[in-house]
Amino acid sequence: MAQFTTTISGIQLHFVWERSDNSDAIPLLLLHGWPGSYFEFHKLIPMLKATGRYHIVAPSLPGYGWSSAATERGMGVTAMAGIMDSLMSQLGYRRYLAQGGDWGAIIARALGLYHQDSCAGIHLNMCLARPCMTNPWHLAQVLNVWLAPSLPLTISVEEMQGVQAMHQFQRDESGYQKIQGTKPQTLAYALTDSPVGLAAWLLEKARTWSDCGGTPDNALSKDEILTNIAIYWFSGRIASSMRLYKETLGNKAEMQALLGPYCKTPTGVAIFP
């Protein structure tokens, strides 16, 4: 993968840039999340490049991987979206598509909300949507979920199962969000000091979030897992990467602005069982 750095808004930004020989190729921005890195796309990028249809840009988010970290508060999702849009402009792309998962999905949504003149479309594999409580049908669906979860009336059986799975995740699997969204610096001292601790913190997510049947090797090779962990360890970016939770989840106004409005930018969503 061809890799570069540039400076935008005081951030030394690292990115993969694979250009097509096709002059009509579409600029495509690939956005990772936590605890990922640009390396998430190491299999996908060659496949996309082989089609000749895309100019591919896959950055390390600010504070992740080989990109530098912010030195002031405020580097939340909205600020990162602005930096991503500036990167695409700097590379000469006036219009582009964006794809993202995890934090990358939320950043892609911010691009669709705030940078519609340049972001022509977004594709998400983690879609966040809130019900509109002034919409009678949405209200009826919420009441169905809370008052009669075993009797789907205003939502489908599949939708009810999805809501229940989300509630299970929030109950059993969101502890990391709470500490990273409130006290990330405390955790960062331990993870920056211990490679074993860092590996355990990241490996547990690989196990939980992949279709591995409890054995990470069933979904990812050891080399893939260790490469991602090594990027965090050798860059020393675990502290700044977790800071994104504090900057965004701790800012209710930003979250409301991100998730409240309707996104008019054409949007595609991949939902995997």
Side-chain angles (χ1 to χ4, degrees):
M1 296 186 290
Q3 302 180 52
F4 305 84
T5 60
T6 188
T7 301
I8 299 175
S9 300
I11 299 293
Q12 181 173 295
L13 196 69
H14 161 265
F15 60 99
V16 172
W17 188 16
E18 292 286 356
R19 285 162 281 188
S20 171
D21 294 330
N22 181 0
S23 60
D24 295 327
I26 301 168
L28 175 61
L29 176 64
L30 300 177
L31 299 167
H32 67 83
W34 187 93
S37 65
Y38 72 94
F39 185 71
E40 288 180 16
F41 306 115
H42 79 104
K43 291 180 179 177
L44 179 62
I45 288 174
M47 296 169 63
L48 291 172
K49 185 178 180 181
T51 70
R53 298 178 59 188
Y54 303 99
H55 300 301
I56 304 160
V57 181
S60 295
L61 296 178
Y64 286 72
W66 311 122
S67 291
S68 66
T71 57
E72 298 178 354
R73 293 181 179 179
M75 187 55 71
V77 163
T78 303
M80 287 194 182
I83 290 175
M84 296 301 106
D85 186 69
S86 295
L87 171 64
M88 298 302 279
S89 176
Q90 189 178 106
L91 297 179
Y93 301 136
R94 296 179 58 190
R95 296 280 282 172
Y96 60 87
L97 303 177
Q99 193 283 332
D102 194 74
W103 281 116
I106 305 176
I107 294 170
R109 176 178 169 81
L111 287 168
L113 281 173
Y114 305 136
H115 302 278
Q116 297 179 24
D117 291 342
S118 48
C119 183
I122 60 176
H123 181 272
L124 316 176
N125 56 290
M126 186 185 82
C127 184
L128 298 181
R130 288 179 173 177
C132 176
M133 299 309 289
T134 59
N135 182 310
W137 185 248
H138 286 190
L139 182 59
Q141 290 178 315
V142 170
L143 290 174
N144 190 171
V145 167
W146 287 107
L147 299 180
S150 61
L151 184 63
L153 297 173
T154 56
I155 66 174
S156 68
V157 173
E158 292 78 9
E159 288 171 331
M160 183 67 80
Q161 290 172 343
V163 171
Q164 291 171 344
M166 180 188 69
H167 289 167
Q168 184 274 330
F169 177 87
Q170 290 176 333
R171 182 183 67 248
D172 301 333
E173 301 292 347
S174 64
Y176 78 99
Q177 288 183 358
K178 302 300 190 293
I179 189 169
Q180 292 180 187
T182 56
K183 306 293 183 184
Q185 194 66 26
T186 305
L187 177 63
Y189 290 123
L191 300 186
T192 301
D193 184 65
S194 169
V196 173
L198 177 66
W201 194 254
L202 301 187
L203 180 61
E204 186 268 322
K205 296 307 165 202
R207 179 183 183 275
T208 302
W209 294 345
S210 62
D211 296 323
C212 68
T215 304
D217 288 4
N218 291 339
L220 300 164
S221 71
K222 285 185 172 65
D223 280 347
E224 288 172 322
I225 294 170
L226 290 172
T227 296
N228 190 60
I229 292 171
I231 289 172
Y232 277 89
W233 178 254
F234 290 114
S235 68
R237 290 285 180 260
I238 189 62
S240 53
S241 71
M242 296 188 299
R243 185 75 192 177
L244 179 55
Y245 286 83
K246 175 74 170 179
E247 292 285 2
T248 303
L249 299 181
N251 187 335
K252 292 183 180 180
E254 180 175 16
M255 288 299 293
Q256 179 59 38
L258 281 169
L259 301 180
Y262 175 74
C263 181
K264 298 180 181 179
T265 298
T267 301
V269 178
I271 301 176
F272 299 101

